[in-house]
Amino acid sequence: MPTESEFRQRLEKLEASYEALILEPNHPAKHHNGIYRRWDRPVLTARHAPLFWRYDLDYATNPFLMERLGINATFNAGAIHLGGKYLVVVRVEGNDRKSFFAVAESPSGVDRFRFRDYPVVMPQTGEPDTNVYDMRLTAHEDGWIYGLFCTERKDLAQPGDESAATAQCGIARTHDLAAWERLPDLVTHSGQQRNVVLHPEFVKGKYALYTRPQDGFISVGSGGGIGWGLSDTMTNACIDEEVIVDRKRYHTIKEVKNGQGPAPIKTPKGWLHLAHGVRNTAAGLRYVLYMFMTALDEPWRVTHAPGGHFIAPEGEERVGDVSNVVFCNGWIVNEKGEVYIYYASSDTRLHVATSTVERLLDYAINTPADPLTSGGCVDQRVALIRKNLASRDRK
């Protein structure tokens, strides 16, 4: 058995390694596409979870200094700029597969993220959550910060199937991301709900929500698409009617399903939206991110829809618990108009990409839409080639 001195020596090495990880600077990637820039390192990984979350640090009860409560992944984070800091509400998954929320703060938005001492202790409703994840944060004009997330529970209608589950939209609100008030789950009339996002402003005097109606826990079935609905209140949120804002479509990046990412960004030219699209492949589902814009006075009406993906998994991002996936439910605009896009890769780690509102508007407005056929895509590319070659020949 190790001596207490050996225990202390190993602990000191763990602590030094942890601090080095937290303080390691991040750097922008050398190459970029003019739209956004990736950063070299993930901003959060399982190793960023504090040692005192994972280890019993008492020699008397853990002389071998074993990791007692392991962390498997840190991903799919809501985000907000608050008190001069960049804050993310991270989906942290333990080795037991249960997810929980935890707040991490950074002074820069690209590195030095440090978790608060305790994870979020989320109050329960009358029907306790089995699992919670993927919180979207919205600073609403009513003065509250709302966190909308997926609450997963066993499907009691299928007692013989241990993988059968139901998904609904859980709702909580806060002023500081420390004290949370739990509100009743969102009520809709469209089966199950995932990826529900609160619009930051009242619309016609009501709370507006982007939804994703679906028939089952995984499969959207006859449902799908990004929906839109209004509720009189958030304390007992209920949507009586949903309309589809952005539907899934055959042989596109969103042919299987799609869902709103974070709350949209308001600009003078309209609302900027970031969403995820899913298609099926021989290797399984592939998740990518895409953008679109809606009208300023009618946030449910799409005005621009650039074709293709915005961010897709690259390199090591393609490998993880659920490979070939990028997912985003949090972005931040700071006072300079800089945009920090917090996207997760393969349900494992959290990254950041940076851009500006100006660049994203240019991308959303001026990038051609998907013509939906191979022939149309060739025509689109030929037109670009001719324009560029003609310009070259004039020089």
Side-chain angles (χ1 to χ4, degrees):
M1 179 179 295
T3 65
E4 186 167 359
S5 175
E6 292 170 331
F7 174 94
R8 296 298 170 195
Q9 288 175 8
R10 178 160 182 255
L11 179 56
E12 287 176 3
K13 289 180 180 179
L14 285 174
E15 290 173 338
S17 177
Y18 179 80
E19 282 302 308
L21 174 69
I22 297 297
L23 298 176
E24 185 176 357
N26 208 352
H27 300 285
K30 292 181 180 179
H31 303 289
H32 65 96
N33 58 7
I35 308 165
Y36 59 84
R37 188 186 291 271
R38 278 175 159 92
W39 287 66
D40 287 339
R41 296 173 47 248
V43 295
L44 285 172
T45 68
R47 291 177 57 224
H48 286 78
L51 296 176
F52 51 84
W53 285 15
R54 297 180 274 152
Y55 291 84
D56 178 353
L57 301 179
D58 186 345
Y59 174 74
T61 53
N62 190 21
F64 290 99
L65 198 53
M66 294 181 180
E67 189 178 64
R68 297 297 194 195
L69 294 174
I71 298 295
N72 182 60
T74 54
F75 57 116
N76 294 8
I80 193 167
H81 201 221
L82 194 64
K85 294 183 177 181
Y86 297 81
L87 281 73
V88 288
V89 178
V90 187
R91 175 180 178 178
V92 181
E93 185 181 88
N95 287 356
D96 55 12
R97 197 188 166 201
K98 306 300 183 297
S99 294
F100 56 88
F101 299 122
V103 180
E105 304 179 0
S106 164
S108 68
V110 297
D111 53 20
R112 291 174 287 162
F113 274 94
R114 192 182 295 270
F115 280 104
R116 291 180 177 176
D117 284 352
Y118 289 92
V120 172
V121 180
M122 182 60 66
Q124 297 291 309
T125 65
E127 187 180 2
D129 315 297
T130 298
N131 201 30
V132 293
Y133 46 89
D134 300 356
M135 181 181 288
R136 276 80 167 176
L137 293 172
T138 299
H140 197 272
E141 69 170 310
D142 72 359
W144 285 96
I145 299 170
Y146 289 88
L148 275 61
F149 55 91
C150 183
T151 170
E152 177 185 332
R153 303 175 179 102
K154 176 74 176 71
D155 186 353
L156 300 179
Q158 302 183 63
D161 185 352
E162 289 303 323
S163 66
T166 62
Q168 295 298 341
C169 171
I171 304 172
R173 63 185 181 182
T174 180
H175 289 297
D176 56 7
L177 273 62
W180 295 83
E181 177 188 0
R182 183 73 180 266
L183 303 174
D185 295 348
L186 173 67
V187 174
T188 66
H189 303 283
S190 54
Q192 302 194 33
Q193 286 284 355
R194 300 174 89 171
N195 306 301
V196 179
V197 182
L198 178 64
H199 190 69
E201 296 182 357
F202 288 111
V203 175
K204 300 179 180 178
K206 297 187 177 185
Y207 291 90
L209 298 104
Y210 301 94
T211 63
R212 210 277 295 283
Q214 57 190 79
D215 295 345
F217 180 65
I218 299 296
S219 172
V220 295
S222 60
I226 297 173
W228 168 267
L230 301 176
S231 175
D232 293 331
T233 176
M234 288 301 289
T235 54
N236 285 284
C238 178
I239 295 176
D240 291 321
E241 181 182 2
E242 290 174 87
V243 297
I244 298 300
V245 172
D246 183 44
R247 67 186 180 92
K248 58 185 183 178
R249 190 131 191 185
Y250 167 69
H251 211 87
T252 65
I253 59 170
K254 53 182 180 178
E255 69 179 7
V256 173
K257 52 187 174 180
N258 58 323
Q260 179 81 15
I265 295 172
K266 187 177 185 180
T267 79
K269 297 182 179 181
W271 294 94
L272 279 170
H273 294 256
L274 184 60
H276 63 269
V278 186
R279 69 179 177 92
N280 212 347
T281 75
L285 298 179
R286 173 175 166 84
Y287 280 67
V288 298
L289 303 178
Y290 70 96
M291 290 191 68
F292 62 96
M293 282 184 66
T294 58
L296 205 57
D297 56 343
E298 296 178 325
W300 61 90
R301 180 171 61 85
V302 175
T303 59
H304 300 87
H309 65 249
F310 173 66
I311 295 179
E314 292 184 358
E316 68 174 7
E317 297 173 355
R318 299 187 61 207
V319 179
D321 272 8
V322 185
S323 294
N324 210 17
V325 167
V326 287
F327 190 91
C328 178
N329 49 293
W331 58 3
I332 288 172
V333 183
N334 66 18
E335 63 280 354
K336 299 178 182 178
E338 298 167 333
V339 182
Y340 293 71
I341 303 162
Y342 295 98
Y343 69 97
S345 68
S346 298
D347 283 14
T348 300
R349 60 194 79 81
L350 188 68
H351 307 262
V352 67
T354 52
S355 187
T356 65
V357 171
E358 182 182 21
R359 286 177 183 271
L360 295 182
L361 279 173
D362 188 313
Y363 168 77
I365 293 171
N366 296 312
T367 301
D370 186 342
L372 301 177
T373 66
S374 293
C377 289
V378 170
D379 291 342
Q380 192 179 70
R381 200 168 297 270
V382 166
L384 177 63
I385 294 169
R386 283 176 177 162
K387 176 184 176 182
N388 288 330
L389 293 182
S391 176
R392 184 193 65 180
D393 292 342
R394 286 194 298 268
K395 291 180 180 178

